[in-house]
Amino acid sequence: MKKFIVFAASVSLLAACTTVNPYTGQSQTSKAVWGTAIGAATGAATGALVAGNSGKGALVGGLAGAALGGGVGYYMDTQEAELRAELASTGVSVIRDGDNIRLVMPGNITFKTDSADINAGFYSTLNSVAKVLNKYDNSTVMVMGFTDSTGSAQYNQTLAQNRANAVAAYLQGQGVAATRFEILSMGASNPIADNSTAAGRQQNRRVEIKIIPNK
């Protein structure tokens, strides 16, 4: 019966914290709440075993597990929300992937064709990214440059590297610690659209920033 009470409490927590995503209109439960509920269930089971299967042990274990499980999820939830607010209407996509956050920056708003010089109009967007990265500094920042398939593989690899370096250097200039960065050139690999069309090639020319929490 005591186990059932702990389980029911976890279910109630999920139900109470289910919200409507303002971007999709769909109901969802935040990553933090899922982590909290899973942590609570695991902690409750462990606590019950340690305390001789008593309800008190399950409750104490559940509370400890909830605090641990919700940590990383909550940290990334709040960071994601601030990034969405800062980057609204900038053309940058904010994508949640588990505990990671991806920022997809289309090449047409970031760089001129065949150039690694950041468009002056994009500085304010990168300033907003840097603002959030500096506030939530317990993460690795992976910057990846991508191109379309036009031109030689070596040319694309170099251009992608230079673009990723330029974005990373700008963010570092805004105070984001250089030790947090991983900088990669992806060249024409991993396209997100059809390279046989002009519209597809434009989508493939991009820089992505992947924010990975330090666990």
Side-chain angles (χ1 to χ4, degrees), residues 60-132:
V60 171
L63 291 174
L68 180 62
V72 172
Y74 178 77
Y75 185 78
M76 300 308 287
D77 278 351
T78 54
Q79 186 172 181
E80 177 190 3
E82 292 196 26
L83 284 167
R84 289 191 184 279
E86 291 283 345
L87 300 176
S89 303
T90 63
V92 175
S93 298
V94 181
I95 301 170
R96 186 64 176 266
D97 183 13
D99 282 335
N100 303 325
I101 299 171
R102 284 172 53 223
L103 307 179
V104 181
M105 304 175 170
N108 63 310
I109 62 174
T110 314
F111 300 95
K112 294 180 180 179
T113 303
D114 293 332
S115 173
D117 295 330
I118 298 173
N119 290 331
F122 199 64
Y123 292 157
S124 60
T125 299
L126 290 178
N127 290 342
S128 295
V129 173
K131 173 184 173 182
V132 178

Side-chain angles (χ1 to χ4, degrees), residues 1-82:
M1 180 63 181
K2 301 290 180 61
K3 292 180 181 178
F4 176 77
I5 293 173
V6 173
F7 173 77
S10 298
V11 172
S12 297
L13 174 63
L14 288 174
C17 296
T18 298
T19 59
V20 175
N21 187 316
Y23 301 95
T24 66
Q26 297 177 334
S27 295
Q28 67 179 33
T29 302
S30 74
K31 304 292 182 181
V33 174
W34 277 114
T36 301
I38 292 170
T42 304
T46 303
L49 288 174
V50 171
N53 210 33
S54 71
K56 181 179 180 181
L59 180 59
V60 171
L63 291 174
L68 180 62
V72 172
Y74 178 77
Y75 185 78
M76 300 308 287
D77 278 351
T78 54
Q79 186 172 181
E80 177 190 3
E82 292 196 26

